[in-house]
Structures are given as C-alpha cells and as structure tokens.
Amino acid sequence: MTRYNPKMLLSLLLALVMVVTMLPMTALAAEETELTDTQTETVCMEAGCEHELEESTEAATSDEYLTESDTVVADVPAEEETPTEMLSESTEAGTEEAVPPSADDTIASSWELQSDGTLLITGYIEPFYSPEEQPWQDVRESITSLRFNLADGIEFYDICFWLDGCANLTSAAIPASVGQISPDNFTDCSALQTLTYGGVDVLSEITADYDGHEDEITLMTSSNCGVTRCTCTGSCVYGYRNYRVAPESNNYHIMTVYCATCGMTDGIIVSGNHSYGSNGCCTLCGYYNSAYDTTICYHTSTTTQWLTSCRWQEVCSNCGAVVSSGTSHGPYTYGSWTYCSLSQHRRSYTCSYGDSGTYYEYGSHLLTTKYEQCDSTQHSVRSYCSTCGSYVGSTVYANHSFTYSEWTPYNETQHQRTGSCSDCSYTASDFGEHTDTDGDGRCDDCGYEMTWFSVTVPASLTMTVSKYGEVYTADNAAIVNNSTGAIAVTSVTVSTENGWTLVPYSTNMAKTKVDSKLIGFMLNGAQSALSGSTETLNLISLWSIPQGSSLPLAYDAVVSALSVPVSEQVLTVVFVLEWAAQ
C-alpha cells in the first residue's frame, strides 16, 4: 500500500499553488458575500505587490541543486494546477487551510456503522498507517458501503488503509475533499460494484488501469515521475489527464495521474481546484463560474524567461507579474567512472552551461574474475570492474589448472607436451620417456619410431674331432640382428682355454707331437695366423647384417693329435658388433 506523493515540479508548482489555486476560492466567495477591502488587498497580485514578491523570493531561494534523476521540468503549462493535497503548503491569505478539529471535538462522532452496513464518516479521522490501526477494525467485515457527511473545510489527504479487510464492501461514494484515491485502497474489496469520486463514476477506470498484483509491477528506479508502473529509462515527469467536473462541489474537478512521457498510470485519481480563464470557464475541465471576477488578473497566460542558461522565471503575459521561478540544469557533462567503494564506482557530472556545481552519480560494480600468472604452480585471482577499470577486493592465489596438448617426439629417448592453464594461460612443457609396451617399435604415447640394439650371438660353437684328425662343426650357427637398423661385426677375437695354444690355421698337424694341444681356427674365411693364446682375426671386410636378418657362421679348425679323447672348452670367440655405417 503506497501513498502517492509526486516529487516533481518543486518550487515551480509550489509557486503555482500559492497563486493559481487560490483563485477559485476567491471567485467562489463572491457568490456568497462581497469581498472587503482588506480581503481584496490581501490577494493583490500586481507586479509591485509586497506579498507576491515575498512569495516569489521564497520560491527562488529554494533553489536546491538536484541530481539528474531529480531534474525540475520547467516547461509546465500555466493552467496545470496542483492537486488538492498540496494546498496545505500555501500560507497566502485568501486560501483556507484544512485545519482538522481537535481530537476532543471529533473522535467521538467522526464515524459510525449504521444498521444497513454503511460506514458513515462525519468528522475528521486521524491518519493511521496500517490496517490494524483502523478505528473500525473490529466491524470492517460488516461494512457494505462507504459514505461521507462532512462539514465544510474538512479534508483528507487520502483513504490509505481505510478499506483493508472490507471484503463485503459493495459501494463507495468518496467526496472530492479527499485529495486522492488509488487502486491500492480497494485491493481487498472484491465485492465492490459501485465507486464514485466527487460524484463521478470511476470504478471502470480504477479496475482498467490496475491489475491488482503488486508483485508484477516493475519499479523503474531510473524514472522520477512517481508512477511506479512507469517504463521510462530516463528523466520524466508526471501529469494529469481525463479532467472531469465533480458535480457534488463547485470547487473541484478530478483527474488521473500519469507519466507524461510513457503514458503509464497507476490508476491514481486526484482532485484539484478549478483554474479559470478570462471567460469564467475552467481551462482544464470546462466548468463555468458565473461569478468569475474579471477585474482580477488570474495569470492565465504566462511566458518563460531565462535569467541564465539554467535559471528561469514564469511571467504573466497580461500583468507582467512573476508567477514562479526555478532552476533546470542539463544537459550534463560526465567524467569517467572511478573506484569509490567495494560495491560502487562513481563519476562526476556538471551542467554543460556551467550554471551548476559538481555532482556525482553512483553505480554498482560489474565484476568479472581476472587471473594473472604468478609462478610455475600458481596464479592470482582478483575481481575486476571493467566500467571503472579497477580491481575490487583482496587477491587470492590458486594452483594452475593445466590442459595438455598431445605428446610429440623430443629426442631418441623422450617425448614432450605443452600444458596451458585454462585460467591464466600460463604455459609449461612436460617430458616423458618413450615406452613401447605392445612391441610395435613405436612409442605408445608419441608414435616415435624407437631405436634399439638387439643381437643374438651363438652361446657356443661345437666341434667334434675323429680319431683320424677330422674336424666336424655345426652348420646352423648364426648371428641374428633384432635391432631397428643394420649392424656390422667389426672385430672377432679368439682366445685359447685349458692349455691349448693357438697356431696358424695353415699349420700341418701331421707333423706335430701327439697331445701338444695345438689348434688353428677359421671363421667365415678369417683365419688364425699367429701362435699364442689370443689373436684378433683379420676380417677382409665388415660383416654387415641388415635389420631383421642373420649372418651364418661357417667355422672350422685344425687340431693336433690326441692320445685320449677330451671334452672341454678349447676357444673363446668374442664378437664386436656396432651399428652399420649409413
């Protein structure tokens, strides 16, 4: 439940209240009695009148500099009068203030619930601010209608909270001396069938302009017209429309409050005094006042005069009196957004015409998380507002979160991959050893074709010697190349064992002594040529063995005669194997 309290027009409308809204009461007074000299002098509005100058000065000196969201709109038609609820601010003679009677005079007889369910308001009701404070709280479910019977001069700002809980209310007749009515006043009145305000049927307007669901109304904080359903995203101002004469009183008409920019309304209806033109007709609702006094200037036509680029005054086009004055800043020149606090940034702005001080506009930070490299294991984490270009809050640190690329070969024994932190983009290389678990000759991780040296050499070369000195050798001895490339036998060394002596392979053993233990050796054409215990055979060329191939070993020996058979190791053969030259 809200009370509508327009926040625009400040000093401008305040001055209009003091000048324009008093006129109908002065005019209407002529219907009952002729003005005295004192009364005529009191409401004098001539240009040199001391009263007018005091009032105009007060309005001008209330030159409060406003922020952009509170910009005063100066271009307001002179006939646009202030609603009744603002009349209490006028202290000029000629306008009666609605001064409520004392509590002793009114409380006992201010309301009664009649036998037919009518809540009759007969006196002034003190304002209250919740349904629980209703004077008729205990009987509100018995109320079926609302009526007023008020003495002259009794006025109410609104009827906020009056009808909360009145679920059985079917009709209400509210006088124009109630400054405003709002759909909020009737949200509990589901049985309401008839509603008049100032004698005008307004039920359809109230229900058409208000959906009854307060949680679905969006409050646009950037607007400042006071209409909660306003959809404007910038400065705007409220206004009035749909003026209608209140037939129950010659003093009032009623009108609907709306946003003059987007046209939205909350369904709030207010009452206001007539504003007469030179023909005695209200310029807003058309009501004709036959007692209109044409000898008094009512300032029905005004012009705006700019004293500086921002300061203005409204001057009556007929008599030259200053009706109102004020200040309207803008457009503004804005500075850059700068850090202000943990939650906000701000920027300065000044009136582009230089007729204003410097003010500040505030906004909430729009934070994103920024990461920066710190070291090989961590990065910093900070909140950053891109609007004001500032870091907000403290810095924390977190470990890198790496995403790795595929392994690639690095050298014959290792492969590598690159890790990149998904937060701060820090990069680092990671290394690993080649592995080949499936034996296909390639690294399982990077596909590198691996190199290894693997050769199978016979463990023994057997020989058998007959009693006639004939030597028999194996015919299946070979060196097998299991490496990843061609190899070569670069050296073969023969050494004797168990007391045997190596002699040239060409030695005629028939002439040697029995049991002299002499042996000559030949391997793939390379023969022993010296006498002694060891000899490196002279290889005519390198014995090359391609990858996956083998080298057959054809060997033979000459042995001196033996008196008895022996079975023992005679020689040790050492092969030197290397990668074959490319």
Side-chain angles (χ1 to χ4, degrees):
M1 186 76 69
T2 57
R3 280 188 164 90
Y4 179 75
N5 189 7
K7 58 182 179 180
M8 300 293 293
L9 307 182
L10 296 175
S11 57
L12 172 62
L13 284 184
L14 183 59
L16 287 176
V17 168
M18 297 176 179
V19 177
V20 178
T21 57
M22 70 173 68
L23 302 181
M25 299 192 68
T26 304
L28 291 172
E31 298 180 0
E32 300 178 3
T33 181
E34 183 178 349
L35 292 174
T36 66
D37 292 340
T38 302
Q39 291 172 319
T40 303
E41 182 179 349
T42 301
V43 299
C44 177
M45 299 301 294
E46 295 300 325
C49 176
E50 179 180 356
H51 298 90
E52 188 277 333
L53 290 176
E54 291 176 357
E55 197 63 51
S56 211
T57 302
E58 180 181 347
T61 55
S62 63
D63 185 15
E64 178 183 358
Y65 287 158
L66 307 173
T67 62
E68 186 179 23
S69 62
D70 291 327
T71 302
V72 175
V73 176
D75 189 13
V76 179
E79 65 269 14
E80 186 83 6
E81 92 301 88
T82 303
T84 300
E85 65 269 22
M86 296 181 66
L87 286 175
S88 60
E89 298 182 25
S90 174
T91 58
E92 193 70 67
T95 301
E96 293 187 20
E97 289 194 38
V99 179
S102 65
D104 293 338
D105 296 332
T106 61
I107 291 178
S109 59
S110 60
W111 68 276
E112 65 173 310
L113 180 61
Q114 298 180 332
S115 59
D116 62 354
T118 298
L119 175 63
L120 181 63
I121 307 299
T122 58
Y124 183 74
I125 305 294
E126 290 290 340
F128 52 91
Y129 302 95
S130 71
E132 290 71 25
E133 299 177 53
Q134 287 176 344
W136 44 85
Q137 176 188 2
D138 295 339
V139 296
R140 60 189 177 190
E141 293 185 0
S142 301
I143 298 173
T144 59
S145 66
L146 173 64
R147 297 292 185 271
F148 290 76
N149 184 13
L150 302 174
D152 291 341
I154 297 181
E155 296 178 348
F156 295 98
Y157 181 84
D158 59 22
I159 56 170
C160 191
F161 303 110
W162 281 36
L163 302 176
D164 285 31
C166 297
N168 297 311
L169 182 73
T170 59
S171 67
I174 301 170
S177 56
V178 175
Q180 68 177 40
I181 63 172
S182 166
D184 282 353
N185 303 147
F186 306 97
T187 52
D188 289 348
C189 305
S190 57
L192 187 63
Q193 300 176 3
T194 304
L195 173 62
T196 61
Y197 180 39
V200 179
D201 182 4
V202 296
L203 179 62
S204 60
E205 183 176 354
I206 288 282
T207 56
D209 286 335
Y210 186 71
D211 58 18
H213 300 284
E214 188 171 353
D215 57 347
E216 295 181 5
I217 297 176
T218 301
L219 177 61
M220 306 298 292
T221 57
S222 58
S223 66
N224 58 354
C225 63
V227 178
T228 59
R229 298 176 72 187
C230 171
T231 59
C232 298
T233 57
S235 179
C236 57
V237 62
Y238 73 90
Y240 304 110
R241 66 185 177 199
N242 197 13
Y243 290 87
R244 288 149 290 178
V245 177
E248 68 177 26
S249 171
N250 293 333
N251 293 333
Y252 300 104
H253 50 228
I254 64 173
M255 58 275 195
T256 302
V257 181
Y258 77 108
C259 173
T261 303
C262 68
M264 294 300 294
T265 175
D266 292 337
I268 296 175
I269 306 175
V270 298
S271 63
N273 295 94
H274 298 300
S275 176
Y276 296 104
S278 58
N279 58 357
C281 291
C282 176
T283 59
L284 301 174
C285 70
Y287 173 75
Y288 175 67
N289 180 8
S290 59
Y292 187 79
D293 189 348
T294 60
T295 64
I296 300 175
C297 181
Y298 293 97
H299 313 309
T300 56
S301 176
T302 62
T303 58
T304 301
Q305 297 179 351
W306 292 92
L307 305 179
T308 67
S309 298
C310 299
R311 300 177 186 275
W312 53 267
Q313 64 182 14
E314 286 290 319
V315 178
C316 178
S317 301
N318 299 321
C319 69
V322 176
V323 176
S324 62
S325 62
T327 301
S328 298
H329 291 304
Y332 294 97
T333 300
Y334 292 88
S336 300
W337 288 104
T338 58
Y339 177 87
C340 178
S341 67
L342 289 175
S343 60
Q344 288 185 314
H345 43 234
R346 72 176 187 177
R347 63 177 177 177
S348 62
Y349 64 95
T350 58
C351 179
S352 300
Y353 292 114
D355 211 18
S356 168
T358 299
Y359 308 101
Y360 291 93
E361 178 182 15
Y362 293 82
S364 299
H365 291 305
L366 299 177
L367 297 178
T368 57
T369 302
K370 276 202 169 186
Y371 303 88
E372 292 186 359
Q373 300 174 10
C374 180
D375 54 34
S376 61
T377 60
Q378 287 187 316
H379 49 239
S380 61
V381 184
R382 291 190 287 179
S383 294
Y384 179 77
C385 176
S386 58
T387 302
C388 62
S390 302
Y391 288 99
V392 180
S394 58
T395 301
V396 298
Y397 297 89
N399 292 331
H400 294 307
S401 177
F402 285 112
T403 300
Y404 289 97
S405 64
E406 297 293 331
W407 287 106
T408 59
Y410 179 69
N411 57 28
E412 294 181 353
T413 60
Q414 289 184 309
H415 43 233
Q416 69 173 355
R417 62 180 178 177
T418 300
S420 178
C421 177
S422 57
D423 294 325
C424 71
S425 300
Y426 174 81
T427 58
S429 295
D430 189 21
F431 295 89
E433 299 293 329
H434 294 310
T435 57
D436 180 21
T437 57
D438 56 8
D440 63 354
R442 294 183 177 276
C443 176
D444 298 336
D445 297 317
C446 69
Y448 177 74
E449 187 174 356
M450 300 176 64
T451 300
W452 68 88
F453 195 93
S454 177
V455 180
T456 301
V457 180
S460 64
L461 298 175
T462 59
M463 293 185 298
T464 302
V465 182
S466 70
K467 62 180 180 178
Y468 303 107
E470 296 173 332
V471 177
Y472 298 94
T473 61
D475 59 2
N476 60 349
I479 298 176
V480 181
N481 180 14
N482 300 312
S483 303
T484 56
I487 65 169
V489 180
T490 59
S491 175
V492 178
T493 300
V494 181
S495 302
T496 58
E497 304 290 342
N498 297 313
W500 288 79
T501 301
L502 188 64
V503 296
Y505 178 72
S506 60
T507 301
N508 185 357
M509 292 300 179
K511 297 179 180 182
T512 60
K513 294 181 179 181
V514 176
D515 295 329
S516 59
K517 298 182 95 173
L518 301 177
I519 185 171
F521 186 71
M522 184 272 295
L523 178 64
N524 283 9
Q527 302 175 3
S528 58
L530 302 174
S531 296
S533 60
T534 183
E535 180 182 355
T536 298
L537 301 181
N538 182 21
L539 305 181
I540 299 174
S541 62
L542 296 179
W543 298 349
S544 180
I545 310 174
Q547 177 185 1
S549 298
S550 61
L551 175 66
L553 297 178
Y555 62 98
D556 195 10
V558 291
V559 182
S560 60
L562 296 172
S563 60
V564 293
V566 295
S567 178
E568 61 185 4
Q569 181 179 350
V570 177
L571 298 172
T572 296
V573 182
V574 177
F575 299 90
V576 177
L577 302 147
E578 298 179 4
W579 289 110
Q582 299 297 322

